[in-house]
Amino acid sequence: PSLPPRAPSDLVKPHVVLPHIPPWDATDRLVPPPGPNWTNIGNADFDAYAQREYRLATQVLTSTGAEMVWLNGAHLNREITPQNDPARIDRLNQLVAEATTGLNVRFADFPGFVGAVGSTRETQIRRDGVHLSVRGELEAAHWSPHDIPGLN
């Protein structure tokens, strides 16, 4: 017999969980159950789906008492298209905040860490306008425990 699936938080009892709100969750999709039409952030079906998923993830990952510190999603340094419109990323950050109200959660200013799109700082720590460069990864490793209140 096989063991029932277990959440990662059942195997490891973290004190803090530090996930990132990714820009990919602001892209168009068919929400479950797959509907006949593509939808996106700002539409009621998409927003309700995203909120359910983020709330459930937060509940599971904090179920052993861990605190969740979501890193807010940052705008991308890419040509603006509907898929990466800064307004969508802002709305996704808002949806996650609303969905996790009342849970053991805080938010960290990852956009502030990255810097303004196109700034010298941003271009030095993001290799392609989206992903952190090696320098960005090293800085993030030092930033997280020291600059997020409560993480030591």
Side-chain angles (χ1 to χ4, degrees), residues 28-49:
D28 293 4
R29 64 188 61 204
L30 298 170
V31 298
N37 299 311
W38 288 88
T39 187
N40 59 61
I41 202 159
N43 293 322
D45 57 346
F46 184 101
D47 290 1
Y49 169 72

Side-chain angles (χ1 to χ4, degrees), residues 43-115:
N43 293 322
D45 57 346
F46 184 101
D47 290 1
Y49 169 72
Q51 287 188 310
R52 281 191 312 271
E53 293 295 303
Y54 275 97
R55 184 166 186 86
L56 179 60
T58 302
Q59 288 171 323
V60 168
L61 293 170
T62 61
S63 64
T64 62
E67 178 182 17
M68 177 79 81
V69 181
W70 282 104
L71 299 180
N72 280 321
H75 296 166
L76 305 181
N77 189 353
R78 295 277 175 96
E79 177 182 343
I80 302 298
T81 65
Q83 301 296 4
N84 65 20
D85 186 319
R88 283 193 184 192
I89 293 169
D90 293 343
R91 177 66 179 140
L92 182 58
N93 287 331
Q94 179 185 12
L95 287 172
V96 175
E98 292 169 0
T100 58
T101 298
L103 301 178
N104 189 19
V105 65
R106 290 185 294 136
F107 291 84
D109 185 18
F110 187 67
F113 168 78
V114 169

